[in-house]
Amino acid sequence: MSLNNYEQTIMTLVDHDNTQLEVVTMGDSKSDRAVVLIHGAIMTYKIMTVFAKYLHGVRLIFINCPGRGESTELDRMSHSLVDYATRINEALVSIVNDAKIQEMAIIGYSMGGLIATKLAAYNTLPIKHLVYLNSAAKIDFKELRISKLLMELVKDMNSDNQDGMIKSIPELILDQGISKKQQNTFNFTEYFAPVDAMVTDLLYTLRSDYLADLDEIAQMPDVLFLLGEDDVIFPNKDSKETMEKFEALGANVRSVIYPEVGHLDFLRVLDKPHDGELRSIESNINEWLSIEESDVTE
């Protein structure tokens, strides 16, 4: 079962001044297929562990981005989201070589999709599938209704008001990110990154545009978009632009848009169909990755 073989590793990144990156693995430790799950902004790898019981027969790799858990934080003003990607890439290349991974899929939620785009463009990993979960290769913060509020919060951030920030940013995201027609009942508090990492994530994510990186991908992966129609963090316009470019470059692309689902409430359709019409996220991912679904729950 996927929750077996839990192992935490603190990797030392030689190419990044011996900084550290926390990696957690689960699943089939003997498989030569790996699924890498990259979390979104303001969160930790734990948000992605909700997928663990649905993905079977493969090695699962969860990564804590810089600034949370045992992963070394960055000097915010001297780096960008690219520095998240290069660190993750170094770690994954090492894992691929040591574990003899032959095939890799990456599921990137929100900010994680931006990072996944960079990883594919480096052409150093055997990436066969990309899954954008409420994400895209770019984010146009000028189009976001909440961007001005977020930037004001970030601008006002200082050591005297961190207690307020840890409440205000998550509350803002929760309030604006979910569908207005649904109530989000999932408790995210234990999945939050430290305040400084939250601010860094938001600054880096809001100014990221990796659409041009698609031109650098040597072998196009199969690309699946799982999107919420009411997502105001990554509007469907950005996802559509990314999808169209992948298609123009010859990639096999599919998109599933869930009505009345926002940025955070993808959990409502994680293992349940939407209104009896659209298949669950779990089902779509397993089909796309050719993983056999299991009837066993944990």
Side-chain angles (χ1 to χ4, degrees):
M1 301 304 296
S2 294
L3 291 178
N4 288 343
N5 302 317
Y6 175 96
E7 182 178 355
Q8 178 197 42
T9 303
I10 311 303
M11 301 189 69
T12 299
L13 306 178
V14 177
D15 294 339
H16 293 85
D17 299 322
N18 292 321
T19 55
Q20 295 182 334
L21 196 70
E22 181 181 7
V23 178
V24 170
T25 57
M26 300 183 199
D28 187 347
S29 60
K30 296 181 180 180
S31 176
D32 63 359
R33 298 181 65 197
V35 179
V36 180
L37 301 102
I38 306 178
H39 62 79
I42 83 170
M43 296 179 180
T44 71
Y45 80 90
K46 289 185 178 180
I47 182 62
M48 302 305 287
T49 61
V50 299
F51 288 92
K53 69 178 182 178
Y54 303 118
L55 302 174
H56 301 272
V58 294
R59 186 187 305 260
L60 302 178
I61 302 173
F62 304 88
I63 297 174
N64 248 348
C65 288
R68 65 215 79 205
E70 300 297 326
S71 296
T72 306
E73 64 180 341
L74 302 178
D75 178 359
R76 183 182 304 143
M77 303 311 296
S78 302
H79 298 86
S80 70
L81 197 61
V82 173
D83 296 279
Y84 284 25
T86 58
R87 282 162 170 74
I88 292 173
N89 188 69
E90 181 181 342
L92 290 178
V93 167
S94 178
I95 292 171
V96 165
N97 292 334
D98 291 345
K100 296 180 173 56
I101 300 297
Q102 299 298 312
E103 182 176 323
M104 179 175 286
I106 299 182
I107 301 174
Y109 168 52
S110 190
M111 178 185 75
L114 294 167
I115 295 171
T117 305
K118 297 295 292 185
L119 295 176
Y122 294 148
N123 297 308
T124 56
L125 298 167
I127 300 172
K128 305 299 182 184
H129 299 87
L130 281 182
V131 178
Y132 287 91
L133 176 59
N134 283 3
S135 188
K138 59 172 287 188
I139 184 168
D140 188 353
F141 73 89
K142 294 179 182 178
E143 296 289 330
L144 297 181
R145 289 177 287 169
I146 66 167
S147 62
K148 185 176 294 186
L149 292 173
L150 286 174
M151 296 305 289
E152 285 298 315
L153 286 170
V154 170
K155 182 179 68 175
D156 293 337
M157 175 65 185
N158 58 57
S159 59
D160 295 330
N161 64 6
Q162 287 194 9
D163 288 342
M165 285 294 291
I166 199 167
K167 296 177 182 177
S168 60
I169 285 183
E171 286 174 356
L172 178 63
I173 297 295
L174 284 168
D175 181 56
Q176 299 291 342
I178 65 173
S179 167
K180 298 302 181 182
K181 301 174 184 177
Q182 300 291 338
Q183 294 295 320
N184 192 329
T185 59
F186 191 79
N187 181 9
F188 278 89
T189 55
E190 63 180 291
Y191 299 88
F192 284 151
V195 176
D196 283 346
M198 290 185 189
V199 176
T200 301
D201 290 350
L202 292 170
L203 280 173
Y204 288 177
T205 299
L206 289 173
R207 61 191 184 201
S208 294
D209 182 347
Y210 303 141
L211 198 62
D213 286 70
L214 273 58
D215 293 314
E216 304 300 320
I217 301 175
Q219 292 187 327
M220 283 293 156
D222 293 336
V223 188
L224 174 64
F225 289 84
L226 298 171
L227 311 170
E229 186 179 52
D230 292 350
D231 190 346
V232 298
I233 308 298
F234 276 85
N236 290 171
K237 176 184 71 65
D238 290 345
S239 302
K240 182 180 180 183
E241 188 175 0
T242 303
M243 181 173 58
E244 289 176 345
K245 179 151 189 177
F246 267 119
E247 289 175 334
L249 292 170
N252 178 27
V253 181
R254 183 183 176 207
S255 175
V256 180
I257 300 177
Y258 292 93
E260 301 182 2
V261 170
H263 193 70
L264 291 175
D265 54 350
F266 71 87
L267 293 166
R268 288 196 295 109
V269 289
L270 175 60
D271 57 2
K272 298 179 178 62
H274 188 283
D275 292 338
E277 297 180 0
L278 292 178
R279 296 168 62 186
S280 68
I281 287 174
E282 170 207 355
S283 182
N284 278 302
I285 289 177
N286 278 309
E287 179 187 58
W288 197 250
L289 304 186
S290 298
I291 297 175
E292 184 177 351
E293 293 185 52
S294 173
D295 294 330
V296 179
T297 58
E298 299 174 25

